[in-house]
Amino acid sequence: MARPVRFNIHPKQTDIHDNIAIAEMPDGLNGEGYFATNLEKVVALGRKNSLWPLPFATSCCGIEFMATAAATYDLARFGAERMAFTPRQCDLLMVMGTIAKKMAPIVRQVYMQMAEPRWVMAVGACASSGGIFDTYSVLQGIDQVVPVDVYVPGCPPRPEAILDGFMRIQELAGHESLRRRNSEHYKKLMGSYGIQ
Amino acid sequence: MTNETIQQKIQDKFGASVTGFEEPYGMLTFEIAADKNIELLQYLYDEPDLAFRFLTDVTVVHYPDDKGRELAVVYHLHNLVDNIRFRFKCFIDIENPEINTATVLFESANWQEREAYDFYGVIFKGHPNLKRIMNVEEMDYFPMRKEFPLEDQSRTDKDDEMFGRGGSVI
């Protein structure tokens, strides 16, 4: 016997009033039909609210990240639903998990393939410092091979902590000077990692 | 086939080269002169009553205080028909850590011996491709030897005080 088809005969009307996150407008001159602000703030607004993460997940922190990206915690609320596994399109490298010394050149290569501006987040104790794996085979923190912007502590961190780290990256992206990536200071930083 | 009959057969064949028979947790264990390892493996493989045709594991133990016989190469064998296992050990000098390769008999020994080389620096003579398998190729020591501490010695940010050892806190 065929099963009866059920229709949603009492659809719930969506309530979009005051229910959608809208990025705050930057400071500027506002008037009838025009809005003037500086370019840096507009660019920062765009960058901040559409960071494309590249998840580099090697262990349990990666599982927490999957929860972060899924419905309950919903990383998409921050404009970051577009995970990509091609470094050339991404802005944010999220390294989650133990990086063995044999893996270190791959992390570095992925970082070098990313286009500027790029940010790096070390999620969890292992990516930040080697964690409990204080041993001959494990890299003692990814900051030995790539510069890191935000460290998220925890073993593994809860999704809230990853979101907090992500919001700090947003903060950095939102307040970054457009000239920073061309500055001597930045070039020196890259030079200290042997990256041109 | 019992441990006693295996021991009897091996002793009849190899005489004084095999020593130190014991049965920890019921598993037959003995020692054989390092230059006889392949001869023994071949005998165990060919002899129809024994037929130990599965090399479960090749591994190494480091005994730093046992001068002249620091490294023990351990072979684990399995008879798949009668489901009997045993192990034997060959002790070699760490100054000259050489032993004949089991790859002439077991293809599976290839990676197992590479791993043993990687971690303990045992040179398996005649191995077709004896290079590091697990660790980074630039590594210039054998990390599982006892003289190397487990912890990464390249760290500069490690404060011994935080780990409750050394430092100003006693």
Side-chain angles (χ1 to χ4, degrees):
Chain A
M1 196 182 79
R3 294 175 62 169
V5 179
R6 293 185 178 192
F7 296 99
N8 193 1
I9 53 170
H10 301 297
K12 206 177 150 192
Q13 292 303 319
T14 45
D15 175 24
I16 58 167
H17 182 66
D18 283 343
N19 206 13
I20 291 177
I22 294 173
E24 267 178 49
M25 195 163 75
D27 300 334
L29 277 176
N30 209 346
E32 181 85 40
Y34 78 92
F35 174 69
T37 183
N38 52 7
L39 178 66
E40 201 166 286
K41 282 178 182 158
V42 178
V43 172
L45 186 73
R47 283 180 178 174
K48 179 181 163 181
N49 293 296
S50 68
L51 284 168
W52 285 15
L54 166 56
F56 195 102
T58 52
S59 50
C60 45
C61 293
I63 306 293
E64 295 297 311
F65 175 75
M66 291 169 207
T68 313
T72 309
Y73 296 96
D74 200 7
L75 193 61
R77 291 178 293 156
F78 303 89
E81 65 267 63
R82 209 298 190 173
M83 313 292 160
F85 294 92
T86 152
R88 294 181 207 285
Q89 295 178 347
C90 291
D91 310 302
L92 172 61
L93 176 63
M94 300 178 80
V95 181
M96 297 165 278
T98 320
I99 302 297
K101 280 183 179 158
K102 223 170 174 174
M103 199 69 166
I106 291 124
V107 175
R108 195 182 141 88
Q109 188 180 4
V110 165
Y111 179 77
M112 293 197 333
Q113 284 173 345
M114 289 168 73
E116 294 279 17
R118 55 193 167 185
W119 290 272
V120 179
M121 190 162 130
V123 177
C126 292
S128 304
S129 70
I132 59 167
F133 301 105
D134 185 1
T135 176
Y136 58 89
S137 59
V138 173
L139 192 68
Q140 301 298 299
I142 58 161
D143 48 9
Q144 292 193 349
V145 290
V146 293
V148 176
D149 293 278
V150 169
Y151 299 87
V152 178
C155 186
R158 283 200 51 86
E160 289 95 333
I162 300 179
L163 286 179
D164 182 63
F166 187 82
M167 284 162 76
R168 279 162 201 270
I169 291 278
Q170 282 190 313
E171 199 73 2
L172 287 175
H175 289 106
E176 190 176 296
S177 156
L178 281 184
R179 298 168 194 273
R180 176 175 175 244
R181 307 271 164 177
N182 297 318
S183 67
E184 279 307 310
H185 177 78
Y186 187 75
K187 279 183 186 147
K188 221 168 117 188
L189 173 70
M190 287 293 131
S192 71
Y193 284 96
I195 297 168
Q196 295 307 312
Chain B
M1 187 164 53
T2 62
N3 284 351
E4 286 73 33
T5 57
I6 298 167
Q7 177 175 350
Q8 196 55 50
K9 271 182 175 284
I10 290 167
Q11 272 176 330
D12 290 349
K13 173 83 177 165
F14 291 91
S17 312
V18 286
T19 49
F21 282 90
E22 51 180 348
E23 291 181 25
Y25 299 99
M27 189 175 182
L28 182 66
T29 304
F30 60 91
E31 185 191 333
I32 186 167
D35 54 347
K36 290 261 176 28
N37 65 336
I38 301 306
E39 205 181 316
L40 174 62
L41 285 170
Q42 188 75 58
Y43 171 71
L44 293 164
Y45 191 98
D46 293 339
E47 188 72 12
D49 294 348
L50 295 170
F52 284 95
R53 292 184 182 158
F54 182 44
L55 181 67
T56 322
D57 199 7
V58 177
T59 185
V60 184
V61 189
H62 185 200
Y63 299 103
D65 298 331
D66 207 354
K67 292 283 168 253
R69 29 188 283 137
E70 282 98 343
L71 294 173
V73 184
V74 188
Y75 295 86
H76 287 246
L77 289 163
H78 189 185
N79 178 329
L80 291 164
V81 178
D82 300 305
N83 194 21
I84 294 175
R85 297 166 188 271
F86 78 92
R87 66 168 94 82
F88 69 90
K89 304 175 181 178
C90 301
F91 285 85
I92 51 177
D93 188 351
I94 204 164
E95 300 297 329
N96 182 29
E98 289 191 346
I99 193 163
N100 286 315
T101 176
T103 50
V104 291
L105 199 54
F106 298 101
E107 282 297 327
S108 67
N110 189 319
W111 281 14
Q112 292 170 348
E113 289 183 352
R114 275 178 69 185
E115 188 183 357
Y117 164 75
D118 193 354
F119 285 102
Y120 292 92
V122 176
I123 313 282
F124 291 91
K125 282 185 289 183
H127 190 285
N129 185 27
L130 195 64
K131 61 176 188 185
R132 288 192 184 273
I133 183 169
M134 308 283 255
N135 287 306
V136 282
E137 286 184 14
E138 305 88 68
M139 190 175 261
D140 53 3
Y141 66 105
F142 302 110
M144 295 300 262
R145 286 189 181 178
K146 295 277 191 253
E147 65 260 38
F148 300 107
L150 176 68
E151 292 154 344
D152 191 338
Q153 299 303 299
S154 64
R155 266 179 90 154
T156 52
D157 62 336
K158 205 158 66 181
D159 190 347
D160 272 348
E161 277 182 30
M162 302 291 186
F163 295 86
R165 59 188 176 202
S168 60
V169 181
I170 298 163

